[in-house]
Structure formats: C-alpha cells, structure tokens
Amino acid sequence: MSKVLVIGAGGVGSVAVHKMAMNSDIFSHITLASRRLVSCEKVAESVLARTGVTIDVAQVDADNVEETIALIQKVQPKLVVNLALPYQDLAIMDACLATKTDYLDTANYEPRDTAKFEYSWQWAYQERFKEAGIMALLGSGFDPGVTSVFASYIKKHLLDRIDTLDILDCNGGDHGQHFATNFNPEINIREVTAPSRHWAHGEWVEGPALSHKQAFDFDQVGEKNMYLMYHEELESLAKFYPEIKRIRFWMTFGDAYLKHLEVLQNVGMTRIDPVIYNGQEIIPLQFLKAVLPEPSSLGSTTKGKTNIGDIATGEKDGEAKTVYVYQVCDHEDAYAETGNQAVSYTTGVPAMIGAAMMLTGAWKGEGVFNIEQFDPDPFMDMLNKHGLPWQVKELDAPLAF
C-alpha cells in the first residue's frame, strides 16, 4: 500500500484517480493536484460517489518547480503521476529529483513555443535519476503506452523477430459537436498538424501532415480513413527494437474534423507564435482551446467505440506471420464507470496500471525507462482485469500498403 500524488485533473487524471480508488490495496492514499482546485474537487466528489473512497486535493502550479517540491514534501508520496500538460514534464521531473521521488507520465515533453515532441529532453535525465536512486517511467498511456507493451508482448510470445510494425488508432465515437477534440485541444491540434514521420530502414522519413491516407476496416467500428502521422512511441520503439525495419503510426479522422481543421489553419487559428490583440499578446491556438468544448465535457454525449492496436509482421518458428493485437473500448461504458469518455479512459487506465507496476515492484529500476523496456505480461494481465481487455488475431497477410 502506497501514497500517490497525481498532478492533472482533466479527463485522464479523473479516470486514473477513479481507477486508483478502485484498487485501494495498491493505492492506500491518493492526492489529486491541479492549477484549478475546483477541478480536483469535482473529481474527488465523483470518486467518493462512485467508489466510497475519499481522496485529498491540492492546488499547484506544475510549472513552478519549488511549488511542486513543497507539495511533494507535504504529501510524501511514493510516486508522482504526471497527467498534466507535456510542457510541464521537465519541471515535474526536476521536482521529483529534488525530493528523490519516483515519476510516471503518459506523454513526452515538448516545448511550449515549438511543435516538436521527442524523448531527448527526458532521456537526458537518465544519469541524474540513477544517481538519485529513483525511477521514471515514460509514456504509460495507451499510445504511447499500451501500444508499446503490445509490441513487447508480440516479441515475447507471438513472433521471434518483428520486421514491420504498424500502430492503428481509431476513434469511432461521435460526440455530436461540429468540431471538438477528444483530448486537450492545444496538444491535439499541434500533434495533428505536425509533419508526418515514420521509421524505415534505419532512418526517419518525413512528409506533409495528413498527406498519406488509407482505409481500414476496424473490428466493432467499421471502415475508416486513417492518416500517417508521427507519434512519440515510434522513437522509443526504434531505439529498443532496432531489428524492426519499418514502424508507422496511423490515426483516423472524419471528413468534418479535417475540413474544420483546414479552415482553422488557413485563418491562422492554429498558430503557436504570439500575436498582439487589443494591446495584449495572445497565442491563437491557446485562444482556440478556450472557445472549443472542454474534452472532459464530451463524455455524456459521446457514443461509439475506439479500436487501437498493433499489426506486426515477422517470423515465428521459421514461418512468416502477421499478427494483430488490439483493444476495443466503448465510450458509453467508460462514461458509466468513471464519468469520462473512452479517449480519457484508454489513457487513464494504463496510467493507473503503470503506477501499480511501480508501486508493487513488478517493474523496478533506477533511471529513466520507457514502458517497452519491461516484462509486458503483468501489465497485459491488468489490462484484462481493469476495463481494457485485448485480443490477438493472426492475419492472412501483411498490410497491403
């Protein structure tokens, strides 16, 4: 039984805390902190109503290292679970270093003023975390996170050698809005509008954003158009599985979403450089975030399912094989359990499971680690037990594209 401090009270933080409260044998005491105390209080009320567990709440500016250090010293957690914005990763890691506290996150660092996310900034903490005798687990969400664990599971059990790996992320849900994002709008739009990038034969291949489209028939969702994108797990998978000749990431988008996004780009609303408005400096994308629906408000209206998984080609016992490991999550089921839609659920549950891996000692080490560096089996077992059951299929042939 261990104390945990969760920073970030959005949809993902809400799901993670609800699921932690449902596992009080592992999480004996939970503190939820955010810049807005009222957000934490709303989550705490829901957790108490749904689980009967009382959690503590606190206010913290996660950009302020000293303020975060003070909170960690007050709470004395075994683990800090960072579910705040990716911009805040390094500040929270600095606070964990100063207090010698283990750290976990779901998304890698990116600077506020540059739409570029990569692991180099966090991997640079390796020696400092090792010297401090503490552990950092990076990317314990769904993608990154579960998709990397799926790759590890494939390598351990299904293929002796992985030649190609495709990660397919499909959100088949409908929230009834003309335009909204299913997670933080600022992060979502920065991610979607970035150039595409994939790993092929030992180097990165780049192209224009959303320029490569393929159709795929997703189980329990149907045929959807998906687009080649860059996603951070490609970087860590290429590092830890150098045998893989090609690694790609695909995400589905509806035509209405893409049309709205095109218009917003054309009129400059997705810019991340400052502009002067009424004598004040504003960031257009941050203003856009303020007027778009809050993702955590979409849970009650979202219907449909997500389907996210890995398709890998390779060899098993001398024979060529293609395997597909995937998970289907229902938006309405997720909302019924935690008050949040499936996109938050599929990230918040793996955050809880990664934390459980660390607190129980199933995964341990000193330094900075990505999720695919550990034994996938205990994590995969907890997915089945805690709302994200997965499936394995053998395909007749590799993807035709």
Side-chain angles (χ1 to χ4, degrees):
M1 296 174 68
S2 302
K3 288 184 178 181
V4 63
L5 170 61
V6 178
I7 300 178
V12 174
S14 174
V15 172
V17 169
H18 277 85
K19 299 296 281 192
M20 288 174 182
M22 295 172 191
N23 291 273
S24 56
D25 57 325
I26 299 173
F27 303 93
S28 59
H29 186 275
I30 304 163
T31 300
L32 177 63
S34 177
R35 191 188 304 268
R36 298 179 68 246
L37 188 62
V38 65
S39 299
C40 300
E41 291 171 339
K42 287 181 180 178
V43 173
E45 290 172 5
S46 177
V47 170
L48 180 60
R50 292 171 185 273
T51 70
V53 173
T54 299
I55 68 168
D56 287 342
V57 297
Q59 188 169 22
V60 69
D61 178 359
D63 290 314
N64 186 318
V65 176
E66 293 304 318
E67 195 173 312
T68 307
I69 288 172
L71 179 60
I72 295 173
Q73 290 173 334
K74 178 182 178 181
V75 175
Q76 293 289 303
K78 170 65 176 173
L79 171 68
V80 172
V81 177
N82 169 19
L83 304 179
L85 295 173
Y87 317 138
Q88 298 167 314
D89 288 0
L90 302 189
I92 298 174
M93 290 181 77
D94 286 337
C96 287
L97 266 177
T99 56
K100 294 189 176 180
T101 308
D102 289 344
Y103 167 93
L104 176 148
D105 67 29
T106 62
N108 69 4
Y109 173 75
E110 64 175 296
R112 287 185 185 273
D113 57 356
T114 306
K116 181 180 183 181
F117 50 104
E118 61 181 44
Y119 278 116
S120 61
W121 291 286
Q122 291 178 278
W123 284 343
Y125 280 70
Q126 165 64 23
E127 290 305 317
R128 281 174 286 171
F129 265 69
K130 187 174 182 179
E131 290 171 7
I134 58 175
M135 175 179 170
L137 181 64
L138 308 183
S140 188
F142 206 105
D143 45 348
V146 174
T147 51
S148 295
V149 176
F150 282 173
S152 299
Y153 182 86
I154 289 168
K155 179 62 188 294
K156 182 176 180 180
H157 296 287
L158 305 178
L159 296 175
D160 298 324
R161 186 191 71 244
I162 301 175
D163 293 331
T164 69
L165 183 69
D166 283 270
I167 298 169
L168 281 58
D169 182 327
C170 168
N171 178 14
D174 182 2
H175 45 56
Q177 301 285 332
H178 292 295
F179 182 80
T181 62
N182 291 292
F183 60 95
N184 185 290
E186 188 177 352
I187 304 304
N188 176 268
I189 293 172
R190 283 168 65 122
E191 182 179 288
V192 172
T193 57
S196 70
R197 194 171 180 234
H198 71 277
W199 182 255
H201 303 290
E203 62 182 14
W204 293 107
V205 179
E206 294 193 1
L210 304 175
S211 61
H212 191 168
K213 177 176 72 173
Q214 292 289 341
F216 188 83
D217 189 4
F218 290 90
D219 182 26
Q220 301 182 52
V221 175
E223 185 170 291
K224 296 286 184 180
N225 288 327
M226 60 183 189
Y227 295 80
L228 188 66
M229 290 179 54
Y230 177 68
H231 226 240
E232 58 231 68
E233 63 262 49
L234 302 189
E235 182 182 15
S236 59
L237 286 167
K239 177 178 180 178
F240 298 115
Y241 289 97
E243 71 192 65
I244 305 179
K245 298 180 178 66
R246 189 192 70 209
I247 313 173
R248 302 182 296 188
F249 181 93
W250 305 85
M251 184 173 283
T252 63
F253 299 101
D255 292 341
Y257 175 94
L258 294 177
K259 178 56 66 177
H260 279 84
L261 183 62
E262 180 184 8
V263 172
L264 291 169
Q265 283 184 284
N266 288 343
V267 299
M269 286 304 300
T270 63
R271 288 170 52 180
I272 62 173
D273 55 311
V275 299
I276 302 300
Y277 174 73
N278 281 352
Q280 292 186 326
E281 190 176 272
I282 68 166
I283 305 294
L285 182 54
Q286 292 178 357
F287 176 79
L288 177 62
K289 173 188 174 183
V291 300
L292 287 175
E294 169 60 39
S296 61
S297 71
L298 301 174
S300 62
T301 61
T302 305
K303 303 181 186 304
K305 298 178 180 181
T306 64
N307 180 323
I308 310 173
D310 294 7
I311 295 178
T313 67
E315 188 176 273
K316 180 67 174 179
D317 299 329
E319 294 184 11
K321 283 194 173 183
T322 299
V323 294
Y324 186 16
V325 182
Y326 66 95
Q327 197 285 321
V328 177
C329 184
D330 187 285
H331 282 285
E332 292 177 273
D333 290 346
Y335 183 76
E337 184 184 357
T338 68
N340 296 276
Q341 38 87 354
V343 174
S344 296
Y345 191 89
T346 54
T347 304
V349 173
M352 179 278 290
I353 295 175
M357 293 293 100
M358 295 176 70
L359 294 175
T360 62
W363 291 353
K364 55 188 175 182
E366 296 177 353
V368 176
F369 300 90
N370 287 81
I371 198 166
E372 59 265 47
Q373 292 179 261
F374 294 98
D375 180 9
D377 291 355
F379 192 101
M380 296 284 280
D381 184 52
M382 284 194 74
L383 285 173
N384 278 332
K385 293 177 179 177
H386 296 283
L388 295 177
W390 43 274
Q391 303 179 54
V392 176
K393 287 185 178 179
E394 185 172 338
L395 303 185
D396 295 333
L399 291 174
F401 47 85

